[in-house]
Coordinates of all heavy atoms in Angstrom, one line a residue:
P1 N 1.1 -0.3 7.0 CA 1.8 0.9 7.5 C 2.9 0.4 8.5 O 3.9 1.0 8.5 CB 0.8 1.7 8.3 CG -0.6 1.1 7.8 CD -0.3 -0.3 7.3
Q2 N 2.7 -0.6 9.2 CA 3.7 -1.1 10.3 C 5.0 -1.4 9.5 O 6.1 -1.0 10.0 CB 3.1 -2.3 11.0 CG 4.1 -2.8 12.1 CD 3.4 -4.1 12.8 OE1 3.3 -5.1 12.1 NE2 3.1 -3.9 14.0
L3 N 4.9 -2.2 8.4 CA 6.1 -2.7 7.9 C 6.6 -1.7 6.9 O 7.9 -1.9 6.7 CB 5.8 -4.1 7.1 CG 5.4 -5.2 8.1 CD1 5.0 -6.4 7.3 CD2 6.5 -5.5 9.1
A4 N 5.9 -0.8 6.3 CA 6.4 0.2 5.5 C 7.5 1.1 6.0 O 8.3 1.7 5.4 CB 5.3 1.0 4.8
E5 N 7.3 1.2 7.4 CA 8.2 2.0 8.1 C 9.6 1.4 8.2 O 10.7 2.1 8.3 CB 7.7 2.4 9.5 CG 8.6 3.5 10.2 CD 7.9 3.8 11.5 OE1 6.7 3.8 11.8 OE2 8.8 4.4 12.4
M6 N 9.6 0.0 8.1 CA 10.9 -0.6 8.2 C 11.6 -1.1 7.0 O 12.6 -1.4 6.8 CB 10.6 -1.9 9.1 CG 10.3 -1.6 10.7 SD 10.2 -3.1 11.6 CE 8.6 -3.7 11.2
F7 N 10.7 -1.4 6.0 CA 11.1 -2.0 4.6 C 10.5 -1.3 3.5 O 9.4 -0.6 3.6 CB 10.7 -3.5 4.6 CG 11.2 -4.4 5.7 CD1 10.5 -4.6 6.9 CD2 12.3 -5.1 5.6 CE1 10.9 -5.4 7.9 CE2 12.8 -5.9 6.5 CZ 12.1 -6.1 7.7
C8 N 11.0 -1.5 2.4 CA 10.4 -1.2 1.2 C 9.3 -2.4 0.9 O 9.7 -3.6 1.1 CB 11.3 -1.2 -0.1 SG 12.3 0.2 -0.2
T9 N 8.0 -2.2 0.6 CA 7.0 -3.2 0.6 C 6.2 -3.1 -0.8 O 6.1 -2.1 -1.4 CB 6.1 -3.0 1.8 OG1 5.4 -1.8 1.7 CG2 6.8 -3.1 3.1
I10 N 5.7 -4.3 -1.0 CA 4.7 -4.4 -2.1 C 3.4 -5.1 -1.5 O 3.7 -6.1 -0.7 CB 5.1 -5.3 -3.2 CG1 6.5 -4.8 -3.7 CG2 4.1 -5.3 -4.3 CD1 6.4 -3.5 -4.5
D11 N 2.3 -4.7 -1.7 CA 1.1 -5.4 -1.2 C 0.0 -5.4 -2.3 O 0.1 -4.8 -3.2 CB 0.6 -4.8 0.0 CG -0.1 -3.6 0.0 OD1 -1.1 -3.4 -0.8 OD2 0.4 -2.6 0.7
S12 N -1.1 -6.3 -2.0 CA -2.2 -6.4 -3.0 C -3.5 -5.9 -2.3 O -4.6 -6.6 -2.5 CB -2.2 -7.8 -3.5 OG -2.4 -8.7 -2.5
F13 N -3.5 -4.9 -1.4 CA -4.6 -4.5 -0.8 C -5.7 -4.1 -1.9 O -5.5 -3.4 -2.8 CB -4.4 -3.1 -0.1 CG -5.5 -2.6 0.7 CD1 -5.7 -3.2 2.0 CD2 -6.3 -1.6 0.3 CE1 -6.8 -2.6 2.7 CE2 -7.4 -1.1 0.9 CZ -7.7 -1.7 2.3
D14 N -6.9 -4.9 -1.8 CA -7.8 -4.8 -2.8 C -9.3 -4.4 -2.3 O -10.3 -4.6 -3.1 CB -7.9 -6.1 -3.5 CG -8.5 -7.2 -2.6 OD1 -8.7 -7.0 -1.5 OD2 -8.6 -8.4 -3.1
T15 N -9.5 -3.8 -1.2 CA -10.7 -3.2 -0.8 C -10.9 -1.9 -1.4 O -10.4 -0.8 -0.9 CB -10.9 -3.1 0.8 OG1 -10.5 -4.4 1.3 CG2 -12.3 -2.6 1.1
H16 N -11.3 -1.8 -2.6 CA -11.3 -0.5 -3.4 C -11.8 0.7 -2.7 O -11.1 1.7 -2.9 CB -12.2 -0.7 -4.8 CG -11.7 -1.8 -5.6 ND1 -10.9 -1.4 -6.9 CD2 -11.7 -3.0 -5.7 CE1 -10.5 -2.5 -7.4 NE2 -11.0 -3.6 -6.8
A17 N -12.8 0.6 -2.0 CA -13.4 1.7 -1.3 C -12.5 2.3 -0.3 O -12.6 3.5 0.1 CB -14.8 1.4 -0.7
K18 N -11.6 1.5 0.3 CA -10.7 2.0 1.3 C -9.3 2.3 0.9 O -8.4 2.7 1.7 CB -10.7 0.9 2.5 CG -12.0 0.8 3.2 CD -11.9 -0.2 4.3 CE -13.2 -0.3 5.1 NZ -13.2 -1.1 6.3
I19 N -9.0 2.2 -0.5 CA -7.6 2.5 -1.0 C -7.2 3.9 -0.6 O -6.0 3.9 -0.2 CB -7.6 2.1 -2.5 CG1 -7.5 0.6 -2.7 CG2 -6.4 2.8 -3.1 CD1 -7.6 0.3 -4.2
P20 N -7.8 4.9 -0.7 CA -7.4 6.3 -0.4 C -6.8 6.4 1.0 O -5.8 7.0 1.3 CB -8.5 7.2 -0.7 CG -9.3 6.5 -1.7 CD -9.3 5.1 -1.4
E21 N -7.6 5.9 2.0 CA -7.1 5.9 3.4 C -6.0 5.0 3.7 O -5.1 5.4 4.4 CB -8.4 5.7 4.3 CG -8.9 4.4 4.2 CD -10.1 4.2 5.2 OE1 -11.2 4.7 4.8 OE2 -10.0 3.7 6.3
Y22 N -6.0 3.8 3.0 CA -4.9 2.9 3.2 C -3.7 3.5 2.6 O -2.5 3.5 3.2 CB -5.3 1.6 2.5 CG -4.1 0.6 2.5 CD1 -3.7 0.0 3.8 CD2 -3.4 0.2 1.5 CE1 -2.7 -0.9 4.0 CE2 -2.5 -0.8 1.6 CZ -2.1 -1.3 2.9 OH -1.1 -2.2 2.9
F23 N -3.7 4.1 1.4 CA -2.5 4.8 0.7 C -2.0 5.8 1.7 O -0.7 6.0 2.0 CB -3.0 5.5 -0.6 CG -1.8 6.0 -1.3 CD1 -1.1 5.5 -2.1 CD2 -1.5 7.4 -0.9 CE1 0.0 6.1 -2.9 CE2 -0.5 8.0 -1.7 CZ 0.3 7.4 -2.5
A24 N -2.8 6.6 2.3 CA -2.4 7.7 3.2 C -1.6 7.3 4.4 O -0.6 7.7 4.9 CB -3.5 8.5 3.7
S25 N -2.2 6.1 5.0 CA -1.5 5.5 6.1 C -0.1 4.9 5.8 O 0.8 5.1 6.6 CB -2.4 4.5 6.9 OG -2.6 3.3 6.0
V26 N -0.1 4.2 4.7 CA 1.1 3.6 4.3 C 2.2 4.7 3.8 O 3.4 4.7 4.1 CB 1.0 2.5 3.1 CG1 2.3 2.1 2.6 CG2 0.2 1.4 3.5
D27 N 1.7 5.7 3.2 CA 2.7 6.8 2.7 C 3.2 7.5 3.9 O 4.5 7.7 3.9 CB 1.8 7.8 2.0 CG 2.6 8.9 1.3 OD1 3.6 8.5 0.6 OD2 2.2 10.1 1.5
A28 N 2.5 7.8 5.0 CA 3.2 8.4 6.1 C 4.2 7.6 6.8 O 5.3 8.1 7.1 CB 2.1 8.7 7.1
A29 N 3.9 6.2 6.8 CA 4.9 5.3 7.4 C 6.2 5.1 6.6 O 7.2 5.2 7.0 CB 4.3 3.9 7.7
A30 N 5.9 5.1 5.2 CA 7.1 4.8 4.4 C 8.0 6.0 4.3 O 9.3 5.9 4.3 CB 6.5 4.5 3.0
K31 N 7.4 7.2 4.3 CA 8.2 8.4 4.3 C 9.0 8.5 5.6 O 10.2 8.9 5.5 CB 7.3 9.6 4.0 CG 6.8 9.8 2.6 CD 5.9 11.0 2.4 CE 5.6 11.1 1.0 NZ 4.4 12.1 0.8
K32 N 8.4 8.2 6.7 CA 9.0 8.3 8.0 C 10.3 7.3 8.0 O 11.3 7.7 8.5 CB 8.1 7.8 9.1 CG 8.7 7.9 10.5 CD 7.6 7.6 11.6 CE 8.2 7.7 13.0 NZ 7.3 7.3 13.9
G33 N 10.2 6.1 7.4 CA 11.3 5.3 7.2 C 12.2 5.4 6.1 O 13.2 4.6 6.0
G34 N 11.9 6.2 5.2 CA 12.7 6.3 4.0 C 12.6 5.4 3.1 O 13.6 5.0 2.3
N35 N 11.4 4.7 3.0 CA 11.1 3.5 2.1 C 10.2 3.8 1.0 O 9.4 4.7 1.0 CB 10.7 2.3 2.9 CG 11.7 1.9 4.0 OD1 12.8 1.7 3.6 ND2 11.2 1.7 5.2
V36 N 10.2 2.9 0.0 CA 9.1 2.9 -1.0 C 8.2 1.7 -0.8 O 8.5 0.6 -0.8 CB 9.8 2.7 -2.5 CG1 8.8 2.7 -3.6 CG2 10.6 4.0 -2.8
S37 N 7.0 2.1 -0.9 CA 5.9 1.0 -0.8 C 4.9 1.2 -1.8 O 4.2 2.3 -2.1 CB 5.2 1.1 0.6 OG 6.1 0.8 1.7
I38 N 4.7 0.2 -2.6 CA 3.8 0.2 -3.8 C 2.5 -0.6 -3.3 O 2.6 -1.9 -3.0 CB 4.3 -0.4 -5.1 CG1 5.7 0.3 -5.3 CG2 3.3 -0.2 -6.2 CD1 6.4 -0.2 -6.6
I39 N 1.4 0.0 -3.2 CA 0.2 -0.7 -2.7 C -0.8 -1.0 -3.8 O -0.7 -0.6 -4.9 CB -0.5 0.3 -1.7 CG1 -1.2 1.5 -2.5 CG2 0.4 0.9 -0.6 CD1 -2.5 1.9 -1.9
S40 N -1.7 -1.9 -3.4 CA -2.8 -2.4 -4.3 C -2.3 -2.8 -5.6 O -2.8 -2.4 -6.6 CB -3.8 -1.2 -4.4 OG -4.4 -0.8 -3.2
V41 N -1.2 -3.7 -5.6 CA -0.6 -4.4 -6.8 C -1.3 -5.7 -7.1 O -1.4 -6.5 -6.1 CB 0.8 -4.5 -6.6 CG1 1.4 -5.2 -7.8 CG2 1.5 -3.1 -6.5
G42 N -1.7 -5.9 -8.3 CA -2.4 -7.1 -8.6 C -3.0 -6.9 -10.0 O -2.5 -6.0 -10.8
W43 N -4.0 -7.7 -10.3 CA -4.7 -7.4 -11.6 C -5.9 -6.6 -11.5 O -6.3 -5.8 -12.4 CB -4.9 -8.7 -12.4 CG -5.7 -9.8 -11.6 CD1 -5.3 -10.7 -10.8 CD2 -7.2 -9.9 -11.9 NE1 -6.4 -11.6 -10.4 CE2 -7.4 -11.2 -11.1 CE3 -8.2 -9.4 -12.5 CZ2 -8.8 -11.6 -10.9 CZ3 -9.5 -9.9 -12.5 CH2 -9.8 -11.0 -11.6
D44 N -6.5 -6.5 -10.3 CA -7.6 -5.5 -10.0 C -7.7 -5.4 -8.6 O -8.4 -6.4 -8.0 CB -8.9 -5.7 -10.8 CG -9.8 -4.5 -10.8 OD1 -9.3 -3.5 -10.4 OD2 -10.8 -4.5 -11.5
P45 N -7.3 -4.3 -7.9 CA -6.6 -3.2 -8.5 C -5.3 -3.6 -9.1 O -4.6 -4.5 -8.5 CB -6.5 -2.3 -7.3 CG -6.5 -3.1 -6.1 CD -7.5 -4.2 -6.4
G46 N -4.8 -2.8 -10.0 CA -3.5 -3.2 -10.7 C -3.6 -3.0 -12.1 O -3.8 -2.0 -12.7
M47 N -3.4 -4.2 -12.8 CA -3.4 -4.1 -14.2 C -4.7 -3.6 -14.9 O -4.6 -2.9 -15.9 CB -3.2 -5.6 -14.8 CG -1.8 -6.2 -14.4 SD -0.4 -5.2 -15.1 CE 0.1 -4.1 -13.7
F48 N -5.8 -4.0 -14.3 CA -7.1 -3.4 -14.7 C -7.2 -1.9 -14.5 O -7.8 -1.2 -15.3 CB -8.2 -4.1 -14.0 CG -8.6 -5.4 -14.8 CD1 -7.9 -6.0 -15.6 CD2 -9.9 -6.0 -14.5 CE1 -8.2 -7.2 -16.2 CE2 -10.3 -7.2 -15.0 CZ -9.4 -7.8 -15.9

C-alpha cells in the first residue's frame, strides 16, 4: 500500500487467505496516487 500510492507496482503477495484484504488496501492507495498495482503475481497465486 505504501508504494502503490507513489508508483505503479507489481508484487508476488502469496498468503492466499489474506489476498482479499491485501487487495483492498493496495487498491485504495493506488487509486489515491493514480497508479496501477497488480498484486499476487507469480505462478501460484498467478499462473495457477
Side-chain angles (χ1 to χ4, degrees):
Q2 182 185 67
L3 296 175
E5 189 173 338
M6 293 187 279
F7 299 89
C8 290
T9 64
I10 307 292
D11 71 56
S12 58
F13 184 81
D14 66 356
T15 307
H16 292 262
K18 295 186 177 180
I19 286 176
E21 63 186 80
Y22 180 68
F23 181 94
S25 64
V26 174
D27 186 50
K31 285 178 177 174
K32 184 177 180 181
N35 297 312
V36 171
S37 293
I38 309 177
I39 71 150
S40 299
V41 173
W43 56 274
D44 199 359
M47 298 296 94
F48 275 14

